[in-house]
Amino acid sequence: MPIFQTPSRLACTAFCVAMLWIHHGGAAAHAQTLQDPLPPPPTATAAVPPPLQPLAPIGQDPSVRIKDIAFVEGDRVNHVSGEGLVFGLSGTGGKSQQTRQMLTNYYLRRGVRVGQVDTKNISAVMVSGKIPAYARPGETILVTVSVADDASSLRGGTLNQTALRGIDDEIYAIAQGAIIGGGISAEGAAANVQKNHPTVGVCEAIVEREIPCGTIVSNGSIKLILRNKSYATATAIGNALNRIFPGRARALDSGTVQVFVPSTFRNSVTEFIATIGNLRVEPDTPARVVINQKTGSIVLGHTVKIAPVLFASENIVIATTETPVASQPNPLAAGDTVVLPRTGIELFESGGRYNVLPGGMTVGELATALNSLAVSPTTLISIMTTLRNQGALKAELVIE
């Protein structure tokens, strides 16, 4: 039996429906919950969020800070070096005449006379390091300790007090302490093994004298020295500085940018240098291919391009087999069994593969193309050298 509702009951029902409508998120949620096949009215706006899209890969920012590619003239490090002795080695010391003489002199300076010295636990070493700019007396730096005689390892040794001198023969630091090294070696009667370099280690040194630095501000300006010389990079640095400090910077050459200190920073040059050092520029990267023939490695810049060339790969395989045979003598003969060598050599020439490399290829495309051809580093070095000789390589070729 159908049930008829009164107007008041209809109003109450409509109110309840409206409250449910709001509680469940409006028309869109109601349509989604009840799965109403009818589309919403034109005046109603569907609040369904769009489907999530995968984020696009974030491109790498090619810009760098100015202080990462340049330094202020006068702000530099200084080299120091000295010679000393390492004690406490476990039978891995040097036995050369140099070590014996240095040890004898060491004892004589302390008033001890010895007829014969044993240096199996001692090594003569060279100590070298760098003192940074504005280093103050008492600061600690790390120096490198290298074997100067025939010692096989510095592991477990202690460096005796060693004076480190500058180019002016003045003492600027004193090195002393335990040798820290990651190298290790072991040997037996018929084999030996070595990891890293056991004849090189690291030790601490204390700065004893301040090295005066050059004048940073000259005639109201400072000079930025580029680590990699480039006219384009020097110009980019000048333009970036002029956008912040108009008319204060100019590129003098491919490696120097002169910056005039504003009057507001006249008494705070350090703050001014820190400010301009954090500005970002996009340096110019030269098209260069560097080849290290000793290690067989090759490094290509991202701006390297080539002209259209034809690359041929000739596959020649030489196979050698050894099938020795035994020669048995006659049973009644007084002979011995001997082994006769049998060598077979075959040469296969499968024919060359000709691959056309289009012009204007970048380093990534070139690497992909050569990788698909299974080109070895040795062959790649030969290809780059040939491309340079033919003028097809649009880059500078550096062979180390």
Side-chain angles (χ1 to χ4, degrees), residues 242-329:
N242 285 326
R243 284 193 292 268
I244 306 299
F245 305 102
R248 291 290 178 174
R250 60 176 180 175
L252 300 181
D253 49 47
S254 62
T256 309
V257 178
Q258 185 179 20
V259 185
F260 291 91
V261 181
S263 57
T264 54
F265 290 95
R266 195 64 53 84
N267 297 325
S268 56
V269 179
T270 301
E271 182 181 354
F272 176 68
I273 295 176
T275 302
I276 65 177
N278 288 324
L279 297 180
R280 305 185 71 89
V281 297
E282 185 174 348
D284 177 64
T285 303
R288 183 176 299 161
V289 178
V290 181
I291 295 176
N292 191 320
Q293 292 184 331
K294 301 181 182 66
T295 60
S297 59
I298 179 171
V299 179
L300 299 88
H302 74 279
T303 57
V304 174
K305 293 187 178 182
I306 62 173
V309 292
L310 177 67
F311 168 67
S313 175
E314 185 176 8
N315 300 322
I316 299 178
V317 180
I318 299 177
T320 304
T321 58
E322 296 286 347
T323 55
V325 296
S327 177
Q328 297 285 351

Side-chain angles (χ1 to χ4, degrees), residues 233 237 263 313 337 380:
T233 304
I237 292 177
S263 57
S313 175
T337 302
L380 184 58

